[in-house]
Amino acid sequence: MSYRAPVSEMVFTLAHVSGIPGDAVSVEDAEAILTEAGRLANGVIAPLNRSGDRHGSTLADAAVTTPPGWREAYRAFTEGGWNGLAADPDFGGQGLPHTLSAAATEMWNGANLAFGLCPLLTAGGIEALSAHGSDDLKARYLDKLVSGAWTATMNLTEPQAGSDLSALRSRAEPVGDGTYRIIGAKIFITYGEHDLTDNILHLVLARLKDAPAGTRGISLFLVPKVLPDGSRNDLRCSGIEHKLGIHASPTCSMAFGDGGGAIGWLVGEENRGLACMFTMMNSARLNVGLQGVGVAEAATQRALAYAQERRQGRAAGDTQASPIVAHADVQRMLLTMKAYTAAARGICYLTAAALDAAHGPEGQAAADRASLLTPVAKAFSTDIANEVTSLGVQVHGGMGFVEETGAAQLMRDARILGIYEGTNGIQAIDLTSRKLPLAGGTTVRAQIAAMRKVAEGLLKNADPAFGHMAPRLRAGIESLDRATSHQLAALASNRPDAALAGATPYLRLFGLAQGAACLAKAALAADAALKAGETDPAHRARIVLARFFAENLLPAASGLEQAVTEGGAFVDEAAVALAS
Amino acid sequence: MSYRAPVSEMVFTLAHVSGIPGDAVSVEDAEAILTEAGRLANGVIAPLNRSGDRHGSTLADAAVTTPPGWREAYRAFTEGGWNGLAADPDFGGQGLPHTLSAAATEMWNGANLAFGLCPLLTAGGIEALSAHGSDDLKARYLDKLVSGAWTATMNLTEPQAGSDLSALRSRAEPVGDGTYRIIGAKIFITYGEHDLTDNILHLVLARLKDAPAGTRGISLFLVPKVLPDGSRNDLRCSGIEHKLGIHASPTCSMAFGDGGGAIGWLVGEENRGLACMFTMMNSARLNVGLQGVGVAEAATQRALAYAQERRQGRAAGDTQASPIVAHADVQRMLLTMKAYTAAARGICYLTAAALDAAHGPEGQAAADRASLLTPVAKAFSTDIANEVTSLGVQVHGGMGFVEETGAAQLMRDARILGIYEGTNGIQAIDLTSRKLPLAGGTTVRAQIAAMRKVAEGLLKNADPAFGHMAPRLRAGIESLDRATSHQLAALASNRPDAALAGATPYLRLFGLAQGAACLAKAALAADAALKAGETDPAHRARIVLARFFAENLLPAASGLEQAVTEGGAFVDEAAVALAS
């Protein structure tokens, strides 16, 4: 069972859940573009996923070799123009909306997470350079990144500075000719070295001499592997990690300036490097959420195909061995996988649509909405990716534990998603402490109001196929509303820990309510289509799935609300329980 | 960070949560025995866990080589008499209670899951042979298994017959001299071949000629690797699996009778093989639950040690980088790990205590209680083992994804526990369809009444340290009670699927309520000890942990109840949603 890009489901979600900017691209155009992208994902990128895991990327003499077929696939990807889908046409991009680019990102990563990660890093580099690079730097490098001729990396982490960038020690010294010498060691640098392109542009956080301590003394530099004069810069890959998953994606330790200093150019202003990183962080975090959606979709497809094939036991009413998809318990697992995946897709596309809308008349309110939704898109989608890929193993039974089946790889690969680009704990803290207070709380209240509107639409729909969907959605949204009030009140008090203690269950609750609203919106659109005479069986499937989510997964909301509003006492006593 | 057997927590749980049969062994004796076992687990078995994962067991010329140090550790284990802890003294066992043996089993597996699995299989063989073997077979083989001089295997699975044993095809033909020739291929045979002992006793399910179809035509045979005359039997290991985890435990494909037939002896009666398997299944399932507790404990210890060491960011009130254990979100993860582990331990020891009590005056009622609790002990403990080991990776951040750290191995190893010895879906079906109806439902009602008694004890305790523990426990138990009524009513109707649809959330709900009751019982005992003047800080920790569980994890009960009682409609429509 190989991955098939779920083009029609993606297009339906774009058209009926998130919306796409109609002036930029029609639904028909979106479908044509995604169908073409799907061909590349299914036919070229997905077939390298298993072999890439087995081979892995290897390091010898500071050079990294990607697995067989990787270079050819990357060439097909860039020659198709897919790398610059959302980028500025002035630099060779296609200028398409974030929503469309989100669907494409889901595809590359559903096909092959280790492969999809490389252009994802380049996308971050494009954003940083576009927003903060000088005209000269842009002219020299941006078109190379947009075309994918060269790739970009993010050099943040150091051994003593993971989530905490204030502890960063890499340093930069001005040479006097406008360049800087960069000296320092970085770890966990994704695609820090590889053989896919002739050059790699490293975006490196470092401190200037006499810079303020902490995060206000960090600057961002562009440090190319190959200098403009064709010579090699003073930087090298000193090691690659032996990891649980994404074996084909080289995770490098990088040594800058062992020979005296790697030459780099300042991006943005001195000591404002963190602000530059934040620019790209929102879209990078959304992209990681989309990786979660992609790998969850891949696991769901694989498990479903296995369950339709594998015969074991007799389901109620059958006279011979049934395919295991006929057993109620297996159905529960598969529906859970499918429903979580669709909910996460809805949330991620909604976030991309808010980014698109920020460029339109809605402006700042949409930008704030994107900021609010981003940590949910990242953390909820990647949490469910872990759960869905683990369920994928479970559906396979003993075969799931055998590596050859491929289900286990998806679980191993997915495990990094909740950790990198800000751990999911950090996403939860970001949501509670920085995003809820946005615009005095009106951003989150508006988002809850939008969910309520969907619930009202359900209440008007008396179709028995919707079951308890309306009251469950209503109850979930009210739980979220009360929990939101609690978090805002706790923040306003002088006990921030009381808010942080509930940050993780609060994010999950937000994801469940928002995800249920997305699925309900899809179900209402499907119902309308059926009533208008359309016969696509996928419409009925959407209603069943939304109902399953509302009746079986969303009820967790009440317990999460209780954990947020009444569970935080542990912060005063955790030290006692964790002393040993 | 290496595993340390949590002896004092085990002894406290035995003394105050499950109880141990006081006539068989005193609490002081139990502590002495477990302290000694802990020395072996910590000093000899745990140090082989990481290297065992890296080396794995290897196959060459049908011979399996275990990793370096494995043979010596196994010898130390058997020479210490640990293999026969609970076995009949007539055959060299120590005849100690199941409760004590449960704690020891948790230890071996907490130290090293791949190692602990080998004696776990032998324990199953001892049970089968003790209960069903002829006097002649017992005399010839039982003392060898009890001492651990030889090991046992379970040969159930065939490629077409995983969970569904009725599809089994291996066959047996009587030779005429009391022996049988066994011919067939088996897969997923744990320790089917190895170099730890001179002989291996394979317990093999096969069909006699003209046996009834389905599970009523299966017989059980003892098929030794080396025959009594010293010659090799006609069986061999034809392959070992490349697995996600437990790399050091060889998972073998076995070929019986390629040369005409492997010689075997009938265990029990012809066509009654499945009944023989069921005898050992209860204790084997409990042991797998204990594997879950052990690996969850190991992951918790490792994560806690890392969180106390690793400094990142400043917790509220700190002026320099704090150890991450000071952050509320990390505390939530660690308390979740610790609380789930302690809850699962309580449930497993309670199940073992019911097995002990079945030999006393309580008799059948206790045996039924053990039957009721067994699927919960197996599935809840192994589900939380997956969650806890995954949280263990998360606490480590990026380092958790790097294999050298060891956190990822625990997650990979744990993943098999929910699959083998009956998938957790099958445990849930067993609980709902076979265990709830036991003794006309009085078994489950009595168990719920026992939980209520703990809740009443809490209500009498007005100590503010208990927070919302009493009302939360009460609410969780009432959710379980209503869900139980729903499941029993659904079974009694002619819609078994309506009960099966909710089987998995029902089991989780049972585990949460029972686990919370176990922790509350421990908290009450700890509170009494503190009030009696004891100063052990572990007592306060037990109260904090029980409160955390009740206020943060148990609230999921209400959503689970709703999924059980109102979520089952999907069985009528799942085919629509899963068509593609």
Side-chain angles (χ1 to χ4, degrees), chain A residues 223-442:
Chain A
V223 188
K225 173 179 168 185
V226 178
L227 289 164
D229 67 3
S231 65
R232 275 294 296 265
N233 207 345
D234 179 14
L235 62 90
R236 67 189 171 83
C237 170
S238 54
I240 62 174
E241 303 290 349
H242 173 219
K243 306 188 302 293
L244 174 61
I246 52 167
H247 292 163
S249 164
T251 302
C252 304
S253 302
M254 300 296 297
F256 291 91
D258 277 0
I263 298 298
W265 286 265
L266 185 69
V267 179
E269 293 172 40
E270 290 190 353
N271 300 331
R272 299 279 297 155
L274 214 64
C276 299
M277 291 315 269
F278 272 116
T279 301
M280 61 184 148
M281 228 173 242
N282 264 355
S283 84
R285 288 177 171 184
L286 169 58
N287 282 340
V288 173
L290 288 160
Q291 292 193 298
V293 178
V295 73
E297 172 71 33
T300 304
Q301 289 185 14
R302 186 177 285 272
L304 184 52
Y306 184 82
Q308 285 164 338
E309 185 85 5
R310 173 75 168 170
R311 289 177 178 274
Q312 285 281 285
R314 264 175 254 175
D318 280 6
T319 53
Q320 55 175 10
S322 320
I324 62 172
V325 71
H327 296 292
D329 185 69
V330 176
Q331 291 172 347
R332 174 179 288 280
M333 289 194 275
L334 292 167
L335 288 170
T336 300
M337 297 171 77
K338 227 175 145 96
Y340 272 143
T341 304
R345 178 181 293 124
I347 295 171
C348 285
Y349 289 13
L350 211 58
T351 310
L355 289 173
D356 285 335
H359 299 297
E362 209 189 340
Q364 190 58 39
D368 284 351
R369 185 164 73 249
S371 290
L372 173 74
L373 290 175
T374 295
V376 184
K378 196 277 184 181
F380 180 77
S381 304
T382 58
D383 280 342
I384 68 95
N386 285 326
E387 294 163 36
V388 167
T389 54
S390 181
L391 280 170
V393 170
Q394 190 70 22
V395 168
H396 284 77
M399 293 305 296
F401 200 66
V402 173
E403 285 286 2
E404 280 74 8
T405 313
Q409 184 199 339
L410 297 178
M411 178 179 142
R412 289 189 287 99
D413 286 353
R415 192 63 193 81
I416 190 58
L417 303 178
I419 296 172
Y420 65 24
E421 207 49 50
T423 65
N424 285 2
I426 284 173
Q427 304 300 323
I429 291 169
D430 177 52
L431 174 63
T432 274
S433 63
R434 280 189 289 269
K435 303 305 172 61
L436 293 189
L438 276 176
T442 56

Side-chain angles (χ1 to χ4, degrees), chain B residues 415-432:
Chain B
R415 194 61 194 82
I416 189 60
L417 303 178
I419 296 172
Y420 65 23
E421 206 52 48
T423 65
N424 285 2
I426 284 174
Q427 304 300 325
I429 291 169
D430 178 53
L431 174 64
T432 275

Side-chain angles (χ1 to χ4, degrees), chain A residues 534-556:
Chain A
E534 286 189 37
T535 55
D536 183 353
H539 287 317
R540 274 190 62 206
R542 289 177 185 121
I543 297 169
V544 173
L545 206 64
R547 180 178 176 182
F548 178 84
F549 193 97
E551 292 181 350
N552 284 279
L553 305 175
L554 182 58

Side-chain angles (χ1 to χ4, degrees), chain A residues 61-325:
Chain A
D61 298 329
V64 168
T65 306
T66 56
W70 227 246
R71 289 164 58 94
E72 294 74 12
Y74 184 77
R75 199 181 313 129
F77 174 80
T78 52
E79 285 175 356
W82 298 109
N83 195 62
L85 210 61
D88 187 345
D90 285 351
F91 293 93
Q94 304 203 30
L96 288 166
H98 285 91
T99 29
L100 201 67
S101 156
T105 298
E106 181 196 323
M107 272 186 199
W108 317 131
N109 286 285
N112 189 329
L113 213 54
F115 182 91
L117 197 45
C118 184
L120 203 144
L121 269 292
T122 303
I126 293 171
E127 290 230 22
L129 212 52
S130 301
H132 303 284
S134 65
D135 288 343
D136 184 50
L137 275 185
K138 282 193 214 178
R140 204 186 320 152
Y141 291 118
L142 201 47
D143 64 333
K144 295 290 194 185
L145 289 183
V146 168
S147 71
W150 298 349
T151 67
T153 72
M154 304 289 149
N155 287 252
L156 285 73
T157 307
E158 299 177 7
Q160 78 293 349
S163 299
D164 180 9
L165 293 174
S166 68
L168 205 121
R169 284 184 206 146
S170 288
R171 58 186 216 274
E173 295 162 5
V175 174
D177 60 355
T179 67
Y180 295 78
R181 288 193 187 282
I182 312 294
I183 297 162
K186 297 283 181 176
I187 59 167
F188 294 162
I189 309 308
T190 300
Y191 280 96
E193 177 59 46
H194 62 74
D195 58 359
L196 301 177
T197 57
D198 299 331
N199 201 358
I200 301 172
L201 304 183
H202 300 287
L203 288 163
V204 184
L205 286 183
R207 280 182 194 289
L208 286 161
K209 208 182 159 190
D210 304 324
T215 54
R216 278 167 304 181
I218 297 172
S219 306
L220 180 65
F221 299 89
L222 185 153
V223 188
K225 173 179 168 185
V226 178
L227 289 164
D229 67 3
S231 65
R232 275 294 296 265
N233 207 345
D234 179 14
L235 62 90
R236 67 189 171 83
C237 170
S238 54
I240 62 174
E241 303 290 349
H242 173 219
K243 306 188 302 293
L244 174 61
I246 52 167
H247 292 163
S249 164
T251 302
C252 304
S253 302
M254 300 296 297
F256 291 91
D258 277 0
I263 298 298
W265 286 265
L266 185 69
V267 179
E269 293 172 40
E270 290 190 353
N271 300 331
R272 299 279 297 155
L274 214 64
C276 299
M277 291 315 269
F278 272 116
T279 301
M280 61 184 148
M281 228 173 242
N282 264 355
S283 84
R285 288 177 171 184
L286 169 58
N287 282 340
V288 173
L290 288 160
Q291 292 193 298
V293 178
V295 73
E297 172 71 33
T300 304
Q301 289 185 14
R302 186 177 285 272
L304 184 52
Y306 184 82
Q308 285 164 338
E309 185 85 5
R310 173 75 168 170
R311 289 177 178 274
Q312 285 281 285
R314 264 175 254 175
D318 280 6
T319 53
Q320 55 175 10
S322 320
I324 62 172
V325 71

Side-chain angles (χ1 to χ4, degrees), chain A residues 438-478:
Chain A
L438 276 176
T442 56
T443 307
V444 64
R445 295 300 181 196
Q447 193 59 23
I448 292 173
M451 295 180 205
R452 281 208 184 94
K453 221 175 133 187
V454 180
E456 281 158 26
L458 282 179
L459 283 170
K460 285 184 203 133
N461 191 314
D463 196 311
F466 281 65
H468 302 291
M469 211 192 294
R472 291 292 160 275
L473 181 58
R474 188 73 182 228
I477 295 168
E478 297 316 314

Side-chain angles (χ1 to χ4, degrees), chain B residues 497-524:
Chain B
D497 256 17
L500 296 184
T504 288
Y506 177 78
L507 187 146
R508 179 74 176 206
L509 171 55
F510 199 125
L512 282 178
Q514 182 67 73
C518 288
L519 292 193
K521 215 169 156 187
L524 286 168

Side-chain angles (χ1 to χ4, degrees), chain A residues 14-15 18-23 25-27 30 97 99-100 353 356:
Chain A
L14 292 175
S18 67
I20 41 173
D23 51 341
V25 58
S26 68
V27 172
T99 29
L100 201 67
D356 285 335

